[in-house]
Amino acid sequence: MTELTPALTDHSMFGLFMQADIIVKAVMCLLLLASIACWAIMIDKMVSLHRLKREAEAFEAAVAQGSGVPAEAALGPVARAAFQAAVAEWHDREGEESRKERRERIERAMRASFAAELRRIEPGLPFLATLGSAAPFIGLFGTVWGIMNSFTAIARSNDTSLAVVAPGIAEALLATALGLVAAIPAVVAYNKFATDLGRVGQRFNAGIAKVGNALARDGKPRAARAAE
């Protein structure tokens, strides 16, 4: 690190970045790119989850209104795909199958269809979890490296005044700050998205149970007509 004097030191964040060691700069750039990717994933997941929440509400309402067999036209794409899977299982009756076995088979098909739709939302969430746990340590690595260089510069200059020590330490601490800036939103977003996915899954599973029970009944003309 080049020895700096107060008159030549730019104490702005950009100035600290430009004066930092190449390794510290690389760490800062990595954290900045990770933070941008984090926010891109967060915006995408917020839109997807909002749409899925509204569809779960519509599915619950349609199931309640249809006494367990919803009108397909009232369903969103995720619920419609699950309901179509249920109808296919309802038509595919087996000879010595009990009502319980038929209900379990219908519900299993619906859950498999719903799980396939959920897998389309999950990509990106592991990145948020990884970034939330790793970013502070990446920033800390940059801080430790920068402080090591600061101490080396102090030893070369034989000057331990605060004016000489402070700029190098500030550069190093900026890496930790960037690590926290990247990690905190990632942790908060991952926890919220995981909670929201769990709640949406519970709402869909409650509707799936009602649909499975309704379609598994024998001798129910309304269910038969709806399924056909």
Side-chain angles (χ1 to χ4, degrees), residues 52-132:
L52 194 61
K53 286 179 185 177
R54 293 182 61 183
E55 189 166 339
E57 294 173 359
F59 180 55
E60 281 186 325
V63 169
Q65 186 176 5
S67 299
V69 182
E72 189 171 338
L75 301 178
V78 175
R80 187 181 300 115
F83 182 66
Q84 289 173 349
V87 171
E89 289 295 326
W90 184 85
H91 281 294
D92 188 19
R93 300 193 179 194
E94 297 182 2
E96 300 298 328
E97 187 179 38
S98 67
R99 176 182 169 183
K100 178 181 178 182
E101 291 172 337
R102 185 180 304 117
R103 186 184 71 245
E104 290 176 347
R105 183 164 53 83
I106 291 172
E107 291 180 5
R108 186 165 55 249
M110 294 184 73
R111 290 195 178 95
S113 176
F114 176 61
E117 295 297 329
L118 280 186
R119 283 194 291 272
R120 298 181 182 180
I121 298 179
E122 291 177 353
L125 295 183
F127 176 80
L128 294 180
T130 302
L131 181 63

Side-chain angles (χ1 to χ4, degrees), residues 5-56:
T5 64
L8 298 177
T9 301
D10 181 359
H11 296 290
S12 68
M13 294 186 66
F14 180 75
L16 292 175
F17 170 79
M18 294 305 297
Q19 294 155 185
D21 180 82
I22 185 63
I23 300 297
V24 181
K25 283 182 181 178
V27 169
M28 291 181 184
C29 290
L30 177 63
L31 290 172
L32 182 60
L33 292 175
S35 182
I36 293 172
C38 170
W39 281 99
I41 291 171
M42 287 167 57
I43 293 172
D44 176 67
K45 299 309 171 191
M46 282 190 289
V47 173
S48 299
L49 277 172
H50 178 70
R51 183 171 59 247
L52 194 61
K53 286 179 185 177
R54 293 182 61 183
E55 189 166 339

